[in-house]
Amino acid sequence: MPRTVNPDDFKDKQKEVPDSEYARTIPCNQLSISAPFHWLSLGLHDFVRMPLISAFYGLCFMAAAIGIVLLVQWQGTHLVVMPSLVVYMLIGPFLALGLYDAAWEREKGHSASLIHSMKAISRNSTSQWAFAVLLAVCMIFWMRIAALLHALYPSVQGAPLTEFMPFLVIGSLVGLVLACVVFSISAFSIPVMMERRVDMMTAVFTSFNAVKSNIPAMIVWAALICGGILVGFATYGIGMLFTMPILGYGTWHAYHETIKKKHHP
């Protein structure tokens, strides 16, 4: 059974719970609703201080977004959007790893390098791949639910708006619930797996607990992330060159401010 570690455990080294323990929950701090804007400003600072690394990963995110946009235009149907997003969910966390590593190196007072950031994928690859697959499964499940909800779609062309309401309302509510679940389990999972080298379930429980304990701040952070992604796709991927590195660096600072450290003075 997963359990929540008491914060008092971290005050005494003899009580410290080892990172190797499976499926536990690392405690979190309480955040103010304005904290996400601080993370964003720190991410912007890192973006300016590390132009080469920022440009490399920004180009990678931009290429992925452009690929999705071109695929949708080429196919002429929205049905390819969800499969494309599944692929994006698989590669996105690994691209973000490089940004987390770069921000971590600067935080330690080291000089961040592109090569070092690219090696971050090997720090806890088993758990990270397992988490990427978990995200892909969530997206596939989301696709199946969406397909079932299409049964509520009016079969008559030019139907009045009232005929669309069951489809729109139920579809929006289901999508909102699934989006909240995915955000909750992924907000801090990758950073904690990289730094603490914990298992996937510990990372998921820790992330979920942190989001649940700081709902107002997490709503603001989720809105900022969605805004950055929308700007990226609205500009045919070009905006990703700027928004994704800033959000990636910001996520690392969000993780360090939210999840309690192993030792406290």
Side-chain angles (χ1 to χ4, degrees), residues 212-230:
K212 177 176 65 70
S213 302
N214 295 282
I215 292 178
M218 290 298 104
I219 290 176
V220 174
W221 184 233
L224 291 174
I225 292 174
C226 290
I229 294 174
L230 287 175

Side-chain angles (χ1 to χ4, degrees), residues 104-253:
W104 188 15
E105 287 298 296
R106 283 201 73 244
E107 194 174 73
K108 293 185 292 186
H110 300 167
S111 179
S113 71
L114 179 59
I115 299 300
H116 189 280
S117 70
M118 294 174 69
K119 293 180 180 178
I121 192 174
S122 63
R123 283 188 58 85
N124 193 359
S125 57
T126 301
S127 295
Q128 290 161 1
W129 270 112
F131 182 70
V133 172
L134 174 63
L135 289 181
V137 170
C138 290
M139 291 298 295
I140 293 171
F141 176 73
W142 199 333
M143 291 170 59
R144 299 309 304 162
I145 294 294
L148 292 174
L149 288 175
H150 266 81
L152 300 174
Y153 197 85
S155 57
V156 180
Q157 289 186 345
L161 180 60
T162 54
E163 296 289 330
F164 287 90
M165 291 307 294
F167 171 76
L168 294 175
V169 172
I170 297 177
S172 298
L173 289 175
V174 171
L176 178 62
V177 170
L178 291 175
C180 289
V181 171
V182 171
F183 175 76
S184 297
I185 66 174
S186 62
F188 304 110
S189 295
I190 294 292
V192 75
M193 280 189 285
M194 185 184 77
E195 183 189 28
R196 303 285 285 265
R197 295 178 183 266
V198 299
D199 60 276
M200 182 193 72
M201 295 309 299
T202 293
V204 168
F205 290 144
T206 297
S207 179
F208 185 84
N209 177 66
V211 173
K212 177 176 65 70
S213 302
N214 295 282
I215 292 178
M218 290 298 104
I219 290 176
V220 174
W221 184 233
L224 291 174
I225 292 174
C226 290
I229 294 174
L230 287 175
V231 168
F233 278 105
T235 56
Y236 287 88
I238 297 175
M240 295 286 186
L241 184 63
F242 307 97
T243 60
M244 296 312 292
I246 294 173
L247 290 172
Y249 296 138
T251 298
W252 176 260
H253 295 293

Side-chain angles (χ1 to χ4, degrees), residues 42-157:
L42 292 175
L44 179 59
H45 183 73
D46 286 340
F47 178 84
V48 174
R49 293 286 182 173
M50 297 182 288
L52 176 61
I53 296 175
S54 301
F56 175 79
Y57 289 103
L59 284 170
C60 291
F61 278 108
M62 182 179 72
I66 291 175
I68 293 177
V69 172
L70 291 178
L71 182 62
V72 173
Q73 291 179 341
W74 177 53
Q75 293 290 329
T77 175
H78 68 281
L79 296 177
V80 299
V81 173
M82 290 302 288
S84 299
L85 289 179
V86 170
V87 177
Y88 199 83
M89 293 292 284
L90 279 169
I91 64 175
F94 292 99
L95 291 177
L97 271 170
L99 297 169
Y100 302 155
D101 178 81
W104 188 15
E105 287 298 296
R106 283 201 73 244
E107 194 174 73
K108 293 185 292 186
H110 300 167
S111 179
S113 71
L114 179 59
I115 299 300
H116 189 280
S117 70
M118 294 174 69
K119 293 180 180 178
I121 192 174
S122 63
R123 283 188 58 85
N124 193 359
S125 57
T126 301
S127 295
Q128 290 161 1
W129 270 112
F131 182 70
V133 172
L134 174 63
L135 289 181
V137 170
C138 290
M139 291 298 295
I140 293 171
F141 176 73
W142 199 333
M143 291 170 59
R144 299 309 304 162
I145 294 294
L148 292 174
L149 288 175
H150 266 81
L152 300 174
Y153 197 85
S155 57
V156 180
Q157 289 186 345

